[in-house]
Structure formats: C-alpha cells, structure tokens
C-alpha cells in the first residue's frame, strides 16, 4: 500500500512559487506542483484564471470568516475538498459568471 505513495514522482511535491495579486497587493504563494495543478483545474471548471479564482476565494473567505490564518493551507484544503467531490452548484456557477460579466 505505501509503495503507491512512497513511489510517487518527486515532481508532484516540488515547491513552486507563484506571484498573485490579492486584494490589490502582489503576494507570493508557495505550494507543491500537485496543488497548483489542482487549483488550475478548479479555476478552469469555474471559467476563471487561477489568479482570479484565488483572489475571489480570498475575498469570499475574508467576508465569511473575517481572517485567514494560513492562506496556503486553505488552498491545500480547498484542493482536498475538490477531490472529495465538493463542487460549486450549477446555480452558484451561473451567478459567478453573471458577476464577472
């Protein structure tokens, strides 16, 4: 069983930094390559670029929670939720498209 996990391609857990503008400020986020690939997939499924998706996620999380103690960890758990099948509903997606227009 552990061979599946232990034998994974090291490229998947290589650290990658991306610069993203959030709330008007440029910031650098460091995540493993696998998480960036998942965030790209999630953003694409929402019809957004990855930076736009991350910025919207940040804004909504601040609105709901008031603060984000560790944004990189939040992005990783976002990926985990996505892999577990948690996806925005069709109506939420349509509302996001209307707001973007």
């Amino acid at each position: 069983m552990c061979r599946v996990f232990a034998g994974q391609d090291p490229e998947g857990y290589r650290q990658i930094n991306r610069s993203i503008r959030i709330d008007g400020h440029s910031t650098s986020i460091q995540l493993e390559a696998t998480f960036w690939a998942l965030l790209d997939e999630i953003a694409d499924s929402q019809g957004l670029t990855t930076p736009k998706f991350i910025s919207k996620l940040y804004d909504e999380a601040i609105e709901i929670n008031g603060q984000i103690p560790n944004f990189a960890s939040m992005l990783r758990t976002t990926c985990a939720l996505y892999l577990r099948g948690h996806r925005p509903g069709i109506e939420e997606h349509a509302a996001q498209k209307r707001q973007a227009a």
Side-chain angles (χ1 to χ4, degrees):
M1 175 183 83
C2 289
R3 292 180 88 57
V4 171
F5 304 118
Q8 67 182 292
D9 183 355
E11 183 62 25
Y13 52 86
R14 179 175 57 91
Q15 294 285 311
I16 297 174
N17 283 308
R18 288 194 190 175
S19 292
I20 295 180
R21 186 166 295 279
I22 298 176
D23 197 28
H25 303 334
S26 183
T27 188
S28 179
I29 300 172
Q30 183 178 35
L31 296 171
E32 294 76 12
T34 297
F35 289 112
W36 283 119
L38 281 166
L39 288 169
D40 291 342
E41 183 179 321
I42 296 167
D44 186 60
S45 76
Q46 297 300 302
L48 300 169
T49 64
T50 302
K52 183 69 174 172
F53 170 73
I54 290 173
S55 180
K56 288 178 71 89
L57 179 62
Y58 177 88
D59 290 344
E60 289 180 18
I62 290 293
E63 182 181 314
I64 293 167
N65 299 310
Q67 65 176 347
I68 305 168
N70 187 329
F71 191 56
S73 291
M74 182 187 169
L75 292 173
R76 288 183 188 93
T77 57
T78 296
C79 292
L81 287 170
Y82 177 78
L83 290 174
R84 288 181 173 168
H86 297 275
R87 312 279 161 83
I90 295 171
E91 289 181 27
E92 183 179 352
H93 182 65
Q96 288 173 349
K97 281 189 149 185
R98 285 192 300 273
Q99 286 179 350

